[in-house]
Amino acid sequence: MPRKPMLDIERMRSAEEALRREARRLLADGVVSVFLGHEEGWDGLAVPSFATSPEDAEKLVWNPLVAPHLAKYLLDRLAGDEKVGIVVNGCGSLALERILKDRRFPRERLYIVGIPCTGILDPARVADLPPERRREVLETGRAEAGLFLDRCSWCDVPNAVVSDILVGEPVAEEPTVHEYPRAARLEAMSLEERFEHFKDLYERCIRCFACRNVCPACSCRECCLDQWEPLWLGRATSVPEQQMFHFIRAFDVAGRCIRCGECERVCPMGLPLMDFNDKLLKDIAELFGVERPHVPTDVEPLGRFDPQDPDFEEGAE
Amino acid sequence: MKRVGVFLCWCGSNIAGTVDVGRVAEKVRLLPGVVYVEENKYTCSEPGQASIMKAIKEHDLERVVVASCSPRLHEPTFRRTLEAAGMNPYHLEMANIREHCSWVHTDREEATAKAFDIVRMAVAKALRNEALQPGRISIEKKALVLGGGIAGIQAALDIADAGHQVILVEREPTIGGRMAQLDKTFPTLDCSSCILTPKMVDCAKHPNITLYTYSELEKVEGYIGNFNVTIRKKARGVDEALCTGCGLCQTKCPVKVDSEFDVGVGKRKAIYTPFPQAVPNKPVIDKENCRYHKTGKCRICERVCEAKAIRFDQEDTIIEEKVGAIVVATGFDLFDLETYGEYGYGLYPDVISSLQFERLINASGPTEGKIRRPSDQEVPRSVAFVLCVGSRDDQKGVSYCSRACCMYSVKHATQYREKVKDGRAFVFYMDIRTPGKAYEEFYRRSSVDYGVEYIRGRPSKIYQKGKKLVVRAEDTLLGRPVEVEVDMVVLAPAMVPKHDAAKMAQTLGVSYDGYGFLNEAHPKLRPVETNTAGIYLAGACQGPKDIPDTVAQAGAAAAKVAALFSQDELTTEPMVARVDEALCSGCLWCKPVCPYKAIEAKTITERVAGRTVTREVASVNVGLCQGCGACTVACRDGAMNLAGFTNDQVLAEVDDLLADLRPACGV
Amino acid sequence: MQPRKSGGFENMAESASRPEEARPAETRPAEEPGAGWEPVIVGFLCNWCSYAGADSAGTARMVHPPNVRVIRVPCSGRVNPRFILRAFQRGADGVLVSGCHPGDCHYSTGNYYARRRLVLLKRYLEYLGIDPRRFRTHWVSASEGQKFADIVREMTAEIKALGPGPKAKLGELV
Amino acid sequence: MGEGGKGMAPGPVPRTTKLVEASGLDGWLRAVAREARVWAPVKVDGRPPLFREFGAGEEDRLDLEAVRTVNSPKGALLPQTEPLMTYAMTKDAESGRPSLDLERAAPGGPVVVFGARPCDAAAFELLDKVFLTGDFVDDHYQARRAKTTVVAVACPRPDEACFCTSFGLSPGGTRGADVVLYGRSGPGVPVETVAYYAVAYTERGEAFLAAPAARAAGVADVPEDEGRCLEEVVSAFRGLGTPLGDRLGRIDVAARLDGLFDHPYWEKVSARCLSCGACTFICPTCYCFGVADCGALGKGVRYRYWDACKLPHFMLMAGGHNPRPAKSNRTRQRFMHKLNYYHHRYGEYQCVGCGRCVESCPVGLHLPLVAGEVGGLEG
């Protein structure tokens, strides 16, 4: 079982110090032309920050709310050859690995600052707390498990899997037996119940593409969902088109999804989008014996095969 | 919208008997894009094809749909028809309303409705057909032959005689291979080296053949017509240009070791040529055993060499060649006889292998052809020949039959009886297999004329008794145990793939079976091709063979190469994958799923917002791509597409079919 | 038809009031279940084995139901899962994908990749609430005309029993 | 100074005023739903409420307490997907000559938008300016609008994200509303409202309150002695402030934005934008749409669908040229449009301070932020 997520405010404060120091150095010495981190935005929310000067580095924060992953922003900087600095914790580094394994950004143009992590809070859940409780949580770090990001509940990558420098003591990694409660819950339902569950989701979806745009595995130059020729997806938001939308979105990242749940976190309609990915992760693990399907590999599970794979004629079900 | 002509075939009553073709025609006429519809009794007939050509011109059709039999039958026919009418042949679509409809349905209504759907889908696809041009790739008219045994020699000579350059690569210091070790060949009993060595010499002298002996293949890149091969020429320790092959070094060399060529029954020096007629007749220094290499002292060979050809410090050289075709003739190994402990091979000196026997009866062998048994150099008064040692044995050996052992053992027994008039020859066999010209007769003669004694039964044990060896078996014909005392036992080992066959196959990118024999493209129809275009097979690397079969296959492989080289350019199937570079993100997840290694990364430069950027995209090698389309599904943004089966076309087939049967969008 | 009750933002009143005659009359009833309703099954068959298998079913006159509409693809590895969902979305009552037996792929490995994808897809469609019996995947060789005919017979019967496909629940595209 | 002053106290004169028990609303809606399609804030099992079409028997899901619904009610007038016409290409059986039949999609029947917040009601008037004024009138919008009754409900407890007051609107505003419901207990009181004053400000509103449906549902006259109470309640709602709005004050950046088109600020502020359409789609005043066809075999539907200037492909042209390739271009476009272009054309801002973008933008890039920062920029 995974480590219980917890907050160590002290650890974070010193990490923040080290992070600023590193960023300042990198920018001052011209090692990188921009450093991707987080800064305090509206209402104390941690928002992506793009420091271009040593002074900017002072604005960088590392606190319980640094939920947004930054790797996807690298695609905005594909043109050019300047080096980019970026800060990642464990799950953030998975996002980065995803981009790298998908060959969407050159490793040599990166300077990666890794920060060991014991847990990050879900900003939305914190925002829902009464002001005084909110303050208490953020200052003391005393937060119940329910306040953390879902991805913290199964995290087996507390330390960056890829980095040029690690600031702070690595967190002990513990082997994790991965479970997929979201999928399991739905599998327990009847066919009709599941259909209704997703139909409701389709009907509430406004197709703003936030889920796709934030997804580190959705990095195509031009998404098939935006194409007209062929028209993979009609522009209507009817149930069948919404089903197609969410099918393509989830199935195309099958085997490459890092289970970060960012899609769900950024959804303005609060849709349970990981219900899709959770199932695909679960089945890839079960069917093809991939123990950690969320960790990017050199050849994706659907890009390889084993002659002994489960066969439908013998009944894969 | 493209102008589509639809030609509905009755196929006599084959289609018209079940499908109301007239009704289909009426409905098809109303489809968007269809400007001409015609029914024919037999569309594939001369008049049928003629009227297609006529219609193409009169109604300036841009696409043609033929609704008749399976495209697997007549697609090529009608493509030619279109071409003849000056239309791109790939503007054809076929609707299979016979095999998939009229022949399998009985209800006229249902069959007619389905036929209409099938045609409609074909029209939908045809509307999105594009003109396709076969690709062209250049051919380097030079062949690489791997292995200098009889298979390699034959293939090399045939290709060279056809007027093409050949590079013959042999791992050993000399060409000749197994056949050079043999004494005589069945069923004619003519001398093996007498028929082989002239060919070896021809190889060496042939103006079109470049010989690399004591060399190994390191790397293969590229594809049919354009392979880049890297060959490692191992250091001989001897300057071949200077060496006259006088052989003085060998006589003077103080080091004696077992000869691989004589399979341990004879000796050689540390500087040696495997056998007198070696080609090239230039020695090599065996560094493991050379005294100078081991102790730093000696250099006798260097001193005696008048040509000053000895080069102790010589190093391997790497040779790179561009070739258009590769013939693999890497031969076979023999089954490890020590697996059968009960036969005492390696334990009793007089239990030997068939190949060792070949050396013993070979006039140029260690005993000058006199049969003397290893232990005491006595002439064996009786010899037992044991067949299928390893062959046809699921437990300890291999399941297959090695095909040659029966005949060469019959030959051995015969030869023995010739040389030792009063000797007795026993052959222990499971079945005697003589499928070959004059084989059965030869076998019959061995028992009738030479009195070879055949015992049907696989020996269970062989053990020493005094100076004798006792062979115990069950005579399965008489159904009783037999024990035979003999002076010598000759075991016929199974023919197995070369120990490094799998590695070789991977280097070449060809497939191989569970044993390690290389796979032919088709067991019946493409026996000398591999699944990798431009790579062919000859001899025992593909499976156990005797010499005649090997030579035949080598000739066949050579013929394939010659046929390939008879063209200046190779035309390739146009229905292959292609990349839309504007879309391609360069993730290259298409690469691992390609069975033909046809996808590579390629760097392109483009202008983006006023600045030049370079990025990587996937690129398809049309020479390698076979058009399976696996890559198109691995490609998420649809940058990879398959000509002839584009995403657009498949979606159109689905949409147009169902738009009528299951109207969507409320229409 | 999209039910009037719609939690989405699209207004379906128009589609409700859209004129019937806009639909091709003769195919209209086929959409409704019950009497005269016939399943439509879209079959993706690989050119080298299964399409040829269907051909040999024809050559041998092995009569089977006319409910499968065949789309020929070079290899089962060419079948994009999107095609399958598209077919359901546009009203297919069943989808059949068939290729060469494992190990016999004309392209040596295409069907192995297809198998991974399709086994995953099969489970996923069921997860999304699409009855798994509506999506069948098989290995049919060029010589297995009988097997192909049997599959079509079975599948047609099964789907007849199941009734109209997902589109009935999904509703119209616009 | 923004012109959005119409909704402010003293405001228009009430035509009629009625009283309705909160417990009576269900019945009222059920009755209304018989003649019209009703859109209202719907809360389903604890999830944030949506403003959507009401299903039969959903009345108990009505939620007038939530400060705001996740999405705005604009879908009632401008559906996210709206059929415009059907087309069918047919060929003459004899001549084979093709002909094209077009059929205009029929507009829907009457619609009642029930329980919109005053900001959302005001937003309808901003949409009206776009679709109903000027050289081009959008007849689909017009047809629907003509049959739409807007029943707003005054906002008792504006939250941190609310800033309608920055545009001269108020939690008790009447702009764009035919009827406004005022909680009898007045604003700010944390108890559930038990009864509402229903005040009609338009003819249609008056008719709505006089309709049999209303009477049947117990919509009654206000007792004589409650006159003063009503006055106080209404003005209390109108005088109510909004935390964020008070902080921002009246937004007045239209003029200053004239000079900021090429300001590096856009580059900077847009860097974290996800290029998604969340802000646009949940916004009550964004109205951009695209048009597409759905069909095959020459038959199909032409429909329009919401599109967003924030989405990279919004401006992509057939030739492949995209005039707004960068996030900065698109971000600038969105805020310039709301705070400058629209203002130039219609004399007010294209924002009602509903606070949805504040709540929904995953990266905290929303209008009050930009308006505030622009206020401090050097031209």
Side-chain angles (χ1 to χ4, degrees):
Chain A
M1 278 295 89
R3 175 194 323 90
K4 236 175 116 290
M6 49 88 88
L7 287 177
D8 182 338
I9 300 297
E10 267 326 295
R11 188 183 243 286
M12 285 191 150
R13 288 230 174 81
S14 50
E16 185 174 74
E17 259 322 295
L19 167 64
R20 289 177 178 163
R21 212 177 311 116
E22 262 311 301
R24 210 182 307 120
R25 182 182 70 76
L26 294 168
L27 289 161
D29 302 357
V31 179
V32 302
S33 63
V34 59
F35 190 94
L36 275 58
H38 305 84
E39 67 185 50
E40 182 165 330
W42 195 267
D43 290 350
L45 194 80
V47 298
S49 178
F50 305 80
T52 52
S53 70
E55 299 68 51
D56 292 350
E58 300 312 316
K59 290 193 298 191
L60 296 178
V61 298
W62 190 258
N63 61 35
L65 296 174
V66 291
H69 282 164
L70 304 167
K72 189 73 183 283
Y73 288 101
L74 292 172
L75 300 188
D76 295 336
R77 309 191 173 264
L78 269 171
D81 43 22
E82 75 276 20
K83 233 169 164 214
V84 179
I86 186 171
V87 58
V88 293
N89 55 355
C91 53
S93 71
L94 289 183
L96 192 50
E97 266 289 81
R98 179 72 280 149
I99 296 283
L100 293 172
K101 292 268 189 265
D102 289 348
R103 304 164 48 99
R104 294 297 283 126
F105 200 85
R107 174 69 176 90
E108 56 275 17
R109 278 184 58 199
L110 287 176
Y111 188 94
I112 308 165
V113 177
I115 297 184
C117 174
T118 60
I120 300 291
L121 300 179
D122 182 330
R125 292 170 189 170
V126 174
D128 290 345
L129 293 173
E132 59 287 346
R133 171 77 182 120
R134 197 184 309 166
R135 209 174 307 108
E136 187 201 352
V137 168
L138 296 179
E139 275 162 15
T140 65
R142 279 194 294 280
E144 53 272 34
L147 285 178
F148 286 83
L149 290 165
D150 287 356
R151 60 180 179 250
C152 297
S153 68
W154 53 262
C155 176
D156 62 352
V157 281
N159 308 302
V161 296
V162 51
S163 69
D164 294 300
I165 179 174
L166 204 62
V167 301
E169 276 307 297
V171 175
E173 310 203 358
E174 287 154 45
T176 303
V177 180
H178 289 283
E179 289 170 346
Y180 302 91
R182 298 279 290 270
R185 184 182 137 264
L186 281 148
E187 284 168 349
M189 298 182 181
S190 74
L191 203 68
E192 285 62 31
E193 287 169 332
R194 275 200 305 274
F195 180 83
E196 287 307 318
H197 169 79
F198 288 116
K199 181 162 180 275
D200 176 71
L201 185 156
Y202 302 145
E203 287 173 340
R204 286 192 291 150
C205 171
I206 55 172
R207 205 186 289 177
C208 66
F209 290 113
C211 48
R212 174 196 67 182
N213 293 7
V214 81
C215 176
C218 284
S219 56
C220 291
R221 277 170 66 84
E222 180 178 275
C223 178
C224 67
L225 300 172
D226 293 333
Q227 292 168 17
W228 290 92
E229 193 63 24
L231 190 67
W232 292 106
L233 176 73
R235 299 317 191 238
T237 42
S238 58
V239 170
E241 294 287 25
Q242 294 290 57
Q243 182 192 53
M244 181 63 80
F245 165 48
H246 287 287
F247 172 81
I248 293 180
R249 196 183 56 76
F251 210 84
D252 274 21
V253 301
R256 297 182 311 111
C257 170
I258 61 164
R259 210 185 176 184
C260 60
E262 284 289 90
C263 47
E264 200 165 275
R265 193 180 63 76
V266 300
C267 177
M269 309 306 287
L271 304 178
L273 297 173
M274 283 302 282
D275 284 359
F276 295 116
N277 306 59
D278 214 45
K279 170 64 173 174
L280 291 163
L281 285 153
K282 180 172 185 280
D283 282 351
I284 285 170
E286 282 177 14
L287 291 166
F288 315 132
V290 182
E291 273 172 28
R292 300 170 73 206
H294 55 283
V295 179
T297 49
D298 288 336
V299 181
E300 55 169 319
L302 294 184
R304 55 179 194 258
F305 68 86
D306 176 342
Q308 303 314 316
D309 278 337
D311 191 293
F312 21 73
E313 287 211 323
E314 294 148 14
E317 301 311 291
Chain B
M1 192 170 249
K2 296 278 178 273
R3 299 172 58 82
V4 184
V6 180
F7 298 83
L8 301 158
C9 182
W10 289 31
C11 196
S13 64
N14 280 300
I15 293 170
T18 321
V19 173
D20 183 338
V21 182
R23 273 230 335 278
V24 175
E26 284 165 27
K27 295 166 78 181
V28 169
R29 192 170 283 110
L30 301 181
L31 290 174
V34 176
V35 296
Y36 180 74
V37 180
E38 177 182 303
E39 297 173 51
N40 297 90
K41 208 156 188 342
Y42 292 102
T43 312
C44 59
S45 66
E46 275 309 311
Q49 295 191 50
S51 71
I52 291 179
M53 297 201 267
K54 185 155 159 291
I56 290 175
K57 292 195 169 43
E58 286 180 358
H59 303 270
D60 45 67
L61 303 177
E62 297 167 292
R63 301 287 185 274
V64 169
V65 170
V66 176
S68 57
C69 49
S70 171
R72 294 174 53 81
L73 192 64
H74 270 321
E75 197 168 53
T77 315
F78 293 115
R79 278 192 181 150
R80 280 194 298 274
T81 315
L82 266 62
E83 207 162 15
M87 196 179 200
N88 183 291
Y90 296 91
H91 283 336
L92 169 80
E93 275 306 319
M94 286 191 73
N96 183 349
I97 59 170
R98 191 179 74 176
E99 283 83 347
H100 287 192
C101 188
S102 67
W103 275 356
V104 287
H105 306 316
T106 47
D107 182 299
R108 196 169 175 77
E109 284 303 306
E110 290 176 344
T112 304
K114 179 175 176 180
F116 173 56
D117 291 343
I118 297 172
V119 176
R120 195 172 64 242
M121 289 161 84
V123 171
K125 192 178 179 203
L127 282 167
R128 291 156 181 84
N129 274 354
E130 304 152 64
L132 301 180
Q133 309 300 345
R136 309 204 171 287
I137 50 178
S138 63
I139 300 172
E140 179 70 34
K141 297 188 179 182
K142 186 192 270 187
L144 170 71
V145 176
L146 296 172
I150 181 59
I153 290 171
Q154 188 62 50
L157 284 173
D158 291 353
I159 298 169
D161 290 342
H164 305 295
Q165 291 295 315
V166 181
I167 297 162
L168 179 56
V169 174
E170 167 60 48
R171 175 186 287 173
E172 300 302 324
T174 173
I175 58 171
R178 296 288 179 198
M179 188 172 173
Q181 294 174 281
L182 308 182
D183 177 42
K184 290 190 157 113
T185 59
F186 59 80
T188 49
L189 288 184
D190 44 355
C191 145
S192 182
S193 49
C194 310
I195 55 176
L196 175 66
T197 42
K199 284 182 175 292
M200 292 164 63
V201 178
D202 292 350
C203 265
K205 296 213 176 323
H206 204 298
N208 290 350
I209 297 179
T210 315
L211 202 53
Y212 292 126
T213 53
Y214 208 47
S215 305
E216 295 195 44
L217 178 73
E218 286 226 319
K219 195 154 110 258
V220 176
E221 283 170 340
Y223 52 97
I224 182 169
N226 304 272
F227 294 104
N228 297 311
V229 298
T230 310
I231 300 156
R232 171 178 296 273
K233 200 170 192 315
K234 292 175 283 184
R236 253 188 146 84
V238 170
D239 184 327
E240 287 175 82
L242 299 179
C243 174
T244 59
C246 68
L248 197 56
C249 51
Q250 302 190 51
T251 37
K252 293 281 184 266
C253 176
V255 183
K256 255 186 176 210
V257 293
D258 280 347
S259 154
E260 298 82 2
F261 186 76
D262 288 333
V263 221
V265 295
K267 299 282 181 197
R268 66 159 170 85
K269 297 297 187 64
I271 182 168
Y272 71 105
T273 49
F275 59 99
Q277 308 89 331
V279 172
N281 185 17
K282 320 267 174 168
V284 295
I285 296 175
D286 157 17
K287 293 202 180 68
E288 272 62 52
N289 297 299
C290 167
R291 184 174 295 167
Y292 171 72
H293 277 98
K294 277 159 78 179
T295 66
K297 294 192 185 52
C298 182
R299 312 183 75 134
I300 293 173
C301 50
E302 190 178 39
R303 239 174 294 119
V304 301
C305 178
E306 287 162 1
K308 298 277 163 280
I310 304 299
R311 298 279 181 276
F312 290 110
D313 57 357
Q314 197 180 48
E315 289 186 352
D316 296 2
T317 45
I318 298 298
I319 299 156
E320 301 198 333
E321 292 273 6
K322 187 158 191 272
V323 298
I326 300 174
V327 176
V328 190
T330 45
F332 64 97
D333 278 341
L334 287 171
F335 185 80
D336 173 13
L337 293 169
E338 293 187 19
T339 314
Y340 287 77
E342 64 270 38
Y343 290 174
Y345 181 84
L347 176 62
Y348 313 128
D350 296 332
V351 178
I352 64 171
S353 76
S354 304
L355 196 55
Q356 286 171 317
F357 187 81
E358 287 284 352
R359 297 311 300 153
L360 286 183
I361 53 171
N362 192 310
S364 66
T367 58
E368 278 104 21
K370 296 184 193 57
I371 301 177
R372 302 184 179 287
R373 66 180 195 170
S375 60
D376 52 14
Q377 301 303 314
E378 295 278 320
V379 176
R381 293 292 148 208
S382 58
V383 180
F385 296 89
V386 180
L387 273 52
C388 291
V389 185
S391 305
R392 306 175 64 192
D393 181 351
D394 297 343
Q395 270 63 43
K396 298 168 78 172
V398 294
S399 311
Y400 57 82
C401 162
S402 294
R403 290 185 65 203
C405 332
C406 287
M407 292 310 296
Y408 69 62
S409 297
V410 168
K411 178 193 76 179
H412 289 163
T414 311
Q415 285 178 291
Y416 168 74
R417 291 284 290 103
E418 264 187 332
K419 297 206 167 181
V420 186
K421 297 274 179 275
D422 58 347
R424 289 184 69 182
F426 303 94
V427 177
F428 289 86
Y429 70 98
M430 288 162 71
D431 303 286
I432 294 291
R433 298 185 165 175
T434 62
K437 199 171 177 186
Y439 286 13
E440 178 66 15
E441 299 87 323
F442 181 66
Y443 159 55
R444 192 95 44 64
R445 238 181 301 130
S446 72
S447 61
V448 176
D449 303 355
Y450 293 89
V452 175
E453 300 165 57
Y454 288 88
I455 301 167
R456 188 173 189 282
R458 173 179 254 163
S460 57
K461 186 149 187 56
I462 296 171
Y463 61 95
Q464 194 117 34
K465 186 163 161 214
K467 298 185 77 188
K468 294 270 183 194
L469 290 162
V470 182
V471 181
R472 180 187 298 152
E474 181 186 0
D475 187 320
T476 54
L477 293 181
L478 304 171
R480 61 153 192 246
V482 284
E483 284 206 340
V484 183
E485 285 196 2
V486 293
D487 295 335
M488 187 163 81
V489 175
V490 180
L491 305 176
M495 291 165 78
V496 296
K498 273 256 178 264
H499 62 281
D500 58 356
K503 193 171 146 290
M504 160 75 63
Q506 286 153 8
T507 314
L508 291 163
V510 301
S511 61
Y512 51 98
D513 65 21
Y515 301 107
F517 288 116
L518 305 186
N519 282 341
E520 63 279 17
H522 189 285
K524 308 270 177 298
L525 304 176
R526 300 177 65 200
V528 301
E529 295 99 319
T530 64
N531 264 331
T532 308
I535 300 185
Y536 307 91
L537 302 174
C541 64
Q542 178 257 351
K545 272 179 203 62
D546 59 14
I547 293 167
D549 289 2
T550 298
V551 172
Q553 196 185 11
K560 292 284 176 191
V561 173
L564 173 67
F565 287 0
S566 67
Q567 321 159 64
D568 297 325
E569 271 182 330
L570 201 62
T571 60
T572 59
E573 241 308 311
M575 289 195 169
V576 292
R578 54 160 179 237
V579 182
D580 179 340
E581 292 180 353
L583 278 184
C584 180
S585 307
C587 69
L588 288 183
W589 284 124
C590 49
K591 198 175 167 183
V593 305
C594 176
Y596 305 99
K597 304 197 184 78
I599 301 173
E600 286 299 334
K602 157 180 151 191
T603 306
I604 60 168
T605 47
E606 56 186 11
R607 303 281 296 170
V608 176
R611 60 201 295 190
T612 309
V613 294
T614 66
R615 59 182 181 98
E616 277 196 333
V617 296
S619 88
V620 176
N621 182 324
V622 298
L624 293 177
C625 178
Q626 302 293 309
C628 70
C631 52
T632 62
V633 184
C635 181
R636 298 180 303 284
D637 53 14
M640 190 66 84
N641 219 337
L642 181 61
F645 296 93
T646 61
N647 292 327
D648 203 23
Q649 288 178 303
V650 178
L651 292 178
E653 287 177 88
V654 173
D655 292 359
D656 284 14
L657 169 73
L658 294 163
D660 198 5
L661 297 179
R662 297 282 188 267
C665 337
V667 283
Chain C
M1 278 287 129
Q2 177 92 351
R4 275 291 295 272
K5 171 182 186 299
S6 154
F9 309 101
E10 69 277 13
N11 173 345
M12 296 314 301
E14 285 72 20
S15 57
S17 65
R18 216 169 279 136
E20 275 303 300
E21 55 275 20
R23 299 167 180 287
E26 67 183 291
T27 61
R28 193 74 191 81
E31 225 191 337
E32 317 305 345
W37 180 79
E38 282 293 330
V40 177
I41 300 166
V42 175
F44 295 92
L45 307 187
C46 88
N47 178 55
W48 305 96
C49 293
S50 300
Y51 191 96
D55 279 356
S56 38
T59 320
R61 311 296 200 276
M62 294 164 177
V63 173
H64 54 267
N67 301 68
V68 173
R69 301 289 181 270
V70 173
I71 292 178
R72 179 173 164 233
V73 289
C75 175
S76 50
R78 170 68 181 98
V79 180
N80 191 323
R82 295 175 197 168
F83 297 159
I84 292 155
L85 198 76
R86 175 79 150 222
F88 281 125
Q89 184 200 42
R90 302 286 162 135
D93 305 298
V95 175
L96 166 68
V97 178
S98 184
C100 309
H101 287 264
D104 296 352
C105 178
H106 177 80
Y107 305 101
S108 77
T109 54
N111 55 357
Y112 281 122
Y113 293 110
R115 180 168 64 179
R116 272 209 165 189
R117 245 180 250 122
L118 297 177
V119 165
L120 187 66
L121 176 70
K122 201 173 170 64
R123 285 190 172 196
Y124 192 57
L125 290 180
E126 175 171 20
Y127 185 73
L128 295 183
I130 295 176
D131 194 309
R133 289 169 293 183
R134 296 188 180 278
F135 173 49
R136 293 181 56 154
T137 39
H138 287 284
W139 308 129
V140 173
S141 79
S143 59
E144 294 177 314
Q146 189 57 58
K147 183 177 179 184
F148 179 78
D150 294 343
I151 290 169
V152 173
R153 206 171 293 113
E154 273 175 45
M155 192 171 178
T156 306
E158 196 162 41
I159 293 177
K160 249 189 190 146
L162 284 172
K167 178 161 172 283
K169 287 194 287 180
L170 289 169
E172 301 295 348
L173 289 169
V174 178
Chain D
M1 198 61 162
E3 317 304 320
K6 301 201 192 66
M8 291 187 66
V13 200
R15 286 162 164 270
T16 26
T17 304
K18 299 277 183 183
L19 186 67
V20 58
E21 302 292 317
S23 58
L25 294 176
D26 294 5
W28 194 7
L29 285 184
R30 204 174 299 111
V32 172
R34 281 193 211 98
E35 297 103 45
R37 284 169 43 253
V38 177
W39 282 60
V42 184
K43 191 180 188 67
V44 180
D45 42 28
R47 291 189 307 239
L50 297 179
F51 213 113
R52 63 162 167 86
E53 190 180 344
F54 228 37
E58 272 199 313
E59 292 77 11
D60 57 339
R61 291 173 163 182
L62 179 71
D63 177 6
L64 296 184
E65 291 300 313
V67 178
R68 73 177 67 76
T69 49
V70 187
N71 60 315
S72 84
K74 76 177 169 192
L77 290 180
L78 190 66
Q80 181 160 13
T81 303
E82 177 180 23
L84 301 176
M85 65 170 188
T86 60
Y87 59 89
M89 199 279 283
T90 51
K91 278 192 193 170
D92 179 75
E94 304 312 315
S95 64
R97 204 174 295 106
S99 60
L100 186 62
D101 312 330
L102 302 179
E103 176 148 355
R104 192 174 173 291
V111 175
V112 172
V113 176
F114 193 95
R117 290 301 179 196
C119 50
D120 287 340
F124 288 140
E125 283 200 356
L126 297 185
L127 294 180
D128 292 346
K129 291 192 171 188
V130 174
F131 288 106
L132 304 179
T133 68
D135 303 338
F136 179 79
V137 171
D138 183 303
D139 49 8
H140 284 267
Y141 180 91
Q142 189 179 38
R144 194 173 278 101
R145 183 60 163 129
K147 297 182 184 169
T148 303
T149 309
V150 180
V151 180
V153 55
C155 198
R157 289 175 291 279
D159 68 12
E160 323 69 71
C162 290
F163 60 107
C164 59
T165 49
S166 295
F167 296 102
L169 302 172
S170 90
T174 62
R175 189 180 181 198
D178 298 299
V179 175
V180 181
L181 303 180
Y182 298 93
R184 187 191 212 170
S185 43
V189 189
V191 298
E192 274 219 359
T193 315
V194 291
Y196 295 92
Y197 294 119
V199 185
Y201 291 98
T202 66
E203 212 170 301
R204 177 178 289 120
E206 209 168 10
F208 183 73
L209 292 182
R215 256 183 281 102
V219 176
D221 293 334
V222 184
E224 293 304 321
D225 57 354
E226 270 198 50
R228 281 197 69 263
C229 170
L230 166 68
E231 292 289 311
E232 284 160 13
V233 167
V234 170
S235 55
F237 273 108
R238 299 225 180 118
L240 204 58
T242 56
L244 175 51
D246 300 346
R247 236 161 76 216
L248 287 168
R250 285 296 282 267
I251 286 177
D252 182 18
V253 292
R256 99 169 308 155
L257 275 167
D258 289 342
L260 297 180
F261 189 83
D262 295 316
H263 199 285
Y265 170 73
W266 303 115
E267 189 71 49
K268 196 169 166 313
V269 72
S270 65
R272 65 173 184 263
C273 178
L274 287 175
S275 291
C276 76
C279 50
T280 315
F281 289 169
I282 49 92
C283 176
T285 65
C286 275
Y287 53 77
C288 291
F289 60 83
V291 174
D293 290 350
C294 169
L297 292 172
K299 307 187 186 70
V301 180
R302 174 157 296 178
Y303 61 97
R304 67 173 158 196
Y305 59 94
W306 290 355
D307 203 346
C309 56
K310 280 278 202 169
L311 298 173
H313 285 67
F314 181 71
M315 285 287 276
L316 185 65
M317 298 177 178
H321 174 59
N322 188 342
R324 293 190 206 126
K327 291 196 293 194
S328 54
N329 311 143
R330 302 188 287 264
T331 302
R332 174 180 60 198
Q333 168 61 26
R334 180 158 198 273
F335 294 110
M336 282 296 235
H337 187 219
K338 288 191 164 303
L339 299 172
N340 180 268
Y341 308 154
Y342 191 98
H343 194 282
H344 281 310
R345 171 173 284 185
Y346 300 112
E348 62 178 311
Y349 292 105
Q350 190 204 358
C351 177
V352 292
C354 72
R356 288 191 177 87
C357 51
V358 180
E359 272 205 331
S360 295
C361 177
V363 292
L365 169 49
H366 44 71
L367 188 129
L369 171 100
V370 172
E373 290 185 345
V374 164
L377 290 179
E378 294 313 316

